[in-house]
Amino acid sequence: MISAALVALMFIGCKPTVKNYRAAYDAALAKREQAAAEQMRPATGLLSDDGPQMRIIDGDTLYVLKARLRLPDGTVPPGRWAVAVSLFKMDTNAKAAAAAVRDRGFDGATYLKASGGRYYTVSGVVSSLDSAAMEARRFDKAFPSYPYVGLPGAPVLINF
């Protein structure tokens, strides 16, 4: 009789509910958002040399990074600034993302190789920081819900 009561209690106590699933999902989502926010912001009082830094340019808060970038053939791209919209570990993913961006009207979209075997998809390569900021704003308007894979949820202006 005791074993029957324990078995019944086990089935009643382990019953999953929509409420439990929703609570677990919300907790995981909040944890992911917090980790993403912390990943791209330097800790208070510290500066990070390897991640994008937030800067205010013409009243907009933008991410800026200095990195060595090369075209897939190893040559230096023309210009001094790239507007990165995605970051991948595989060049095929970066190439596909660049083609999708190019199809939406950004003729200068390409992908660039960075150190560490990473590939940035860029919407364009320009000669000045002001031009890069304008390109980033134009991209934001054209793609309001772009996922910015591997980046902090916004374009990153890369000085190379």
Side-chain angles (χ1 to χ4, degrees):
M1 177 122 111
I2 293 175
S3 62
L6 289 176
V7 170
L9 184 61
M10 184 175 72
F11 283 117
I12 294 171
C14 295
K15 184 178 176 184
T17 65
V18 173
K19 181 181 173 184
N20 290 344
Y21 279 125
R22 186 68 188 170
Y25 175 79
D26 290 341
L29 186 60
K31 186 175 180 181
R32 181 184 300 168
E33 289 172 355
Q34 180 183 3
E38 290 174 358
Q39 178 183 10
M40 297 318 252
R41 286 191 201 133
T44 304
L46 299 176
L47 293 176
S48 172
D49 290 336
D50 59 351
Q53 302 295 311
M54 289 191 290
R55 284 173 94 186
I56 297 175
I57 302 169
D58 293 331
D60 290 332
T61 301
L62 299 169
Y63 289 95
V64 178
L65 176 68
K66 181 149 181 75
R68 183 175 183 249
L69 299 178
R70 299 289 181 254
L71 289 166
D73 64 4
T75 61
V76 177
R80 296 298 309 149
W81 290 88
V83 180
V85 296
S86 299
L87 174 63
F88 297 99
K89 291 183 180 178
M90 295 177 57
D91 64 338
T92 54
N93 293 338
K95 184 188 282 188
V101 170
R102 222 176 2 263
D103 290 345
R104 295 281 301 264
F106 287 83
D107 297 332
T110 187
Y111 69 102
L112 302 173
K113 185 175 184 179
S115 61
R118 298 174 300 160
Y119 297 89
Y120 285 99
T121 299
V122 299
S123 65
V125 176
V126 295
S127 60
S128 70
L129 178 59
D130 290 333
S131 298
M134 286 178 16
E135 175 77 4
R137 282 187 219 106
R138 185 171 81 97
F139 188 85
D140 274 338
K141 286 180 184 174
F143 292 94
S145 60
Y146 193 78
Y148 298 105
V149 175
L151 299 178
V156 174
L157 312 180
I158 302 176
N159 180 235
F160 57 92

